[in-house]
């Protein structure tokens, strides 16, 4: 009877392990789920399926959005206060909290018996249980990072579309969504770059081209990935194909961005192996041509000093707001976000950024959260002399983070 009750419990919670004693006999039962209980599709229109692949219908758009946010934020979860602020930014604090409670009720109703197994809904924060709730983004990352990359699965998933299409909600959620899309695109480029670098180092040129082609269908102007594909075509004895690929991206860069191919593409076209292939997605992402005159500004991704990885969306969002505002000026050339945001942490050395992006000035900064207070620091650096021309600090409330971004921008 004890065994029957234990197995019944484990059937409801397949990721738990129990140890029981009966009659002086120690019984240890461990059940590890071979597959998650549900999978969320985050690329393209949001969808949720159970283990058998049947759709789990959640009719409320905000309930779907809430689940999507929790899925994206990972094991750290999301504070209730932040969720209510994101999803009901047009309402007062009390009304937003009440709306969140109603939304959670609708979500639990839609999930049925799966709700307590997929989500840990606490008084302070809501956390997705990673062993029970999988996502297409997690699948892509696993496929690329595996000792033997699953390029078939990765290629199929890369065609999934933009992050959370159709879940646009006016207000702060829309700002969060745009920033999350940028952060995801940067993360995906890094993952693809690491996988390509590994395949190149092993001389697996057919697989390099397969993965590069799949990613370029998603981001056709990513020069570093295109350079990897060109190197693969040269190594496979197809110089004509390499030339055609170079000409195609040369035309696309000129038509869409008004720039010429960067050094990575030109070196790949020469047919010589790259001298230092560490990560094609981050080594030299999309450097603009060296300017003949006038300042060229690179706005780097701000450092997240809050100690909470979930706040990276805010530090990236601050830098993105500045980059977009600066790009609207008529007398200032601003390097694209996809290039400048690749430099993070130790890669932010002024000389390195200036050489690879041909920048004359760099704007860098950091974001630190202390409770509900936010402090944003920024400085403008002149590259030749590596001297600070301007520095400032901005303080505000976390609840008004997006208004603070606009003030800084």
């Amino acid at each position: 009877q004890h065994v029957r009750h234990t197995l019944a419990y484990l059937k409801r919670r397949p990721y738990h392990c129990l140890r029981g004693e009966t009659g002086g006999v120690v019984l240890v039962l461990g059940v590890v789920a071979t597959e998650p209980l549900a999978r969320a599709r985050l690329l393209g229109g949001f969808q949720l399926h159970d283990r058998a692949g049947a759709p789990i219908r959640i009719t409320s758009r905000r309930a779907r959005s809430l689940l999507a946010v929790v899925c994206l934020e990972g094991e750290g979860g999301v504070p209730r206060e932040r969720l209510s602020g994101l999803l009901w930014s047009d309402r007062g604090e009390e009304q937003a909290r009440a709306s969140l409670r109603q939304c959670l009720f609708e979500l639990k109703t839609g999930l049925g018996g799966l709700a307590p197994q997929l989500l840990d809904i606490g008084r302070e924060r809501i956390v997705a249980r990673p062993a029970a709730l999988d996502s297409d983004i997690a699948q892509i990352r696993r496929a690329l990072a595996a000792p033997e990359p699953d390029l078939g699965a990765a290629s199929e998933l890369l065609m999934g579309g933009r992050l959370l299409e159709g879940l646009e909600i006016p207000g702060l959620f829309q700002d969060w969504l745009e920033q999350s899309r940028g952060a995801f695109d940067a993360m995906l480029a890094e993952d693809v770059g690491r996988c390509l670098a590994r395949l190149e180092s092993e001389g697996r040129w057919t697989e390099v081209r397969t993965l590069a082609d799949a990613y370029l269908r998603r981001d056709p102007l990513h020069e570093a990935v295109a350079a990897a594909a060109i190197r693969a075509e040269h190594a496979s004895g197809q110089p004509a194909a390499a030339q055609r690929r170079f000409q195609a991206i040369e035309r696309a860069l000129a038509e869409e961005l008004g720039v010429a191919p960067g050094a990575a593409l030109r070196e790949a076209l020469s047919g010589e192996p790259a001298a230092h292939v560490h990560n094609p997605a981050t080594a030299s992402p999309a450097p603009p041509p060296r300017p003949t005159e006038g300042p060229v500004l690179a706005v780097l991704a701000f450092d997240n000093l809050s100690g909470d990885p979930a706040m990276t969306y805010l530090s990236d969002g601050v830098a993105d707001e500045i980059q977009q505002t600066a790009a609207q000026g008529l007398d200032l050339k601003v390097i694209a976000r996809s290039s400048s945001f690749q430099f993070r942490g130790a890669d932010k050395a002024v000389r390195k950024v200036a050489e690879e992006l041909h920048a004359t000035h760099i704007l860098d900064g950091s974001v630190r959260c202390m409770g509900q207070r936010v402090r944003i620091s920024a400085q403008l650096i002149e590259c030749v002399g590596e001297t600070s021309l301007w520095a400032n600090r901005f303080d505000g409330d976390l609840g008004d983070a997006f208004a603070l971004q606009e003030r800084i921008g």
Side-chain angles (χ1 to χ4, degrees):
Q1 185 178 7
H2 179 81
V3 172
R4 285 198 299 272
H5 285 312
T6 304
L7 288 174
Y9 181 90
L10 287 169
K11 186 176 181 181
R12 293 194 303 271
R13 293 169 173 81
Y15 42 83
H16 281 194
C17 180
L18 295 181
R19 181 181 186 275
E21 295 188 21
T22 177
V25 178
V26 177
L27 173 67
V28 178
L29 292 176
V31 179
V32 178
T34 56
E35 59 178 314
L37 298 177
R39 286 189 174 89
R41 172 182 164 181
L42 303 176
L43 300 179
F46 178 85
Q47 295 180 15
L48 187 67
H49 295 87
D50 64 17
R51 179 183 289 171
I56 301 174
R57 303 195 183 281
I58 302 172
T59 56
S60 167
R61 174 182 292 188
R62 279 186 166 81
R64 294 197 303 272
S65 301
L66 188 155
L67 185 57
V69 173
V70 173
C71 283
L72 277 173
E73 295 296 344
E75 296 184 23
V78 189
R80 281 174 173 259
E81 183 178 357
R82 183 168 161 224
L83 282 170
S84 60
L86 282 176
L87 294 169
W88 293 277
S89 58
D90 58 336
R91 303 180 185 180
E93 188 174 331
E94 288 296 329
Q95 189 179 8
R97 281 201 291 262
S99 297
L100 175 61
R101 290 193 294 270
Q102 176 62 30
C103 185
L104 285 170
F105 174 78
E106 295 172 356
L107 182 58
K108 286 188 276 190
T109 300
L111 293 175
L114 285 175
Q117 301 182 63
L118 300 181
L119 299 173
D120 179 5
I121 302 177
R123 297 185 64 180
E124 298 297 328
R125 62 178 53 234
I126 300 169
V127 184
R129 302 186 189 273
L133 180 57
D134 199 8
S135 71
D136 50 356
I137 290 178
Q139 287 179 280
I140 291 176
R141 304 200 73 187
R142 289 196 302 269
L144 294 173
E148 190 61 34
D150 187 348
L151 299 186
S155 299
E156 181 179 353
L157 291 166
L158 283 170
M159 299 302 295
R162 294 184 74 203
L163 183 68
L164 300 181
E165 289 182 0
L167 278 188
E168 288 79 2
I169 296 175
L172 296 184
F173 181 85
Q174 188 62 34
D175 295 327
W176 170 87
L177 180 56
E178 291 302 323
Q179 292 162 17
S180 296
R181 284 170 174 166
F184 167 71
D185 289 341
M187 178 192 71
L188 181 61
E190 291 176 4
D191 287 349
V192 169
R194 279 191 290 268
C195 188
L196 284 172
R198 184 152 50 100
L199 294 173
E200 283 198 63
S201 68
E202 297 171 3
R204 299 163 65 173
W205 299 111
T206 299
E207 292 163 280
V208 169
R209 189 166 56 183
T210 297
L211 177 57
D213 283 340
Y215 183 80
L216 289 170
R217 284 192 289 271
R218 183 181 186 88
D219 185 358
L221 299 183
H222 201 294
E223 294 190 52
V225 175
I230 290 173
R231 286 193 294 271
E233 285 162 342
H234 271 297
S236 303
Q238 302 179 58
Q243 180 68 37
R244 288 194 297 272
R245 188 186 294 270
F246 178 87
Q247 292 172 345
I249 195 169
E250 183 180 36
R251 288 194 298 271
L253 286 169
E255 293 171 1
E256 305 234 0
L257 302 179
V259 301
L265 274 172
R266 294 194 299 271
E267 290 172 3
L269 184 63
S270 69
E272 298 180 2
H276 301 286
V277 180
H278 295 298
N279 186 338
T282 60
S284 183
R290 186 178 298 277
T292 56
E293 59 181 9
V296 177
L297 176 66
V299 180
L300 305 186
F302 280 26
D303 294 322
N304 172 20
L305 303 181
S306 66
D308 182 0
M311 294 304 294
T312 300
Y313 86 94
L314 175 60
S315 55
D316 281 2
V318 170
D320 191 47
E321 187 74 31
I322 295 172
Q323 193 274 339
Q324 292 184 33
T325 302
Q328 296 173 3
L330 299 178
D331 301 323
L332 180 66
K333 296 183 178 69
V334 180
I335 292 171
R337 179 190 194 278
S338 60
S339 296
S340 59
F341 272 36
Q342 300 291 338
F343 295 89
R344 296 174 183 266
D347 285 339
K348 283 186 173 183
V350 173
R351 185 171 300 177
K352 177 180 179 180
V353 175
E355 288 178 353
E356 296 198 20
L357 298 183
H358 309 319
T360 61
H361 296 78
I362 292 172
L363 196 145
D364 193 13
S366 63
V367 176
R368 185 188 302 274
C369 295
M370 298 156 285
Q372 290 300 306
R373 297 292 293 170
V374 181
R375 171 165 293 174
I376 300 173
S377 301
Q379 64 172 331
L380 179 65
I381 302 169
E382 192 271 323
C383 294
V384 174
E386 297 188 28
T387 55
S388 178
L389 303 179
W390 168 88
N392 207 343
R393 188 177 70 195
F394 305 86
D395 294 328
D397 292 326
L398 186 58
D400 297 327
F402 294 104
L404 183 60
Q405 287 180 32
E406 292 179 2
R407 180 159 63 89
I408 296 170

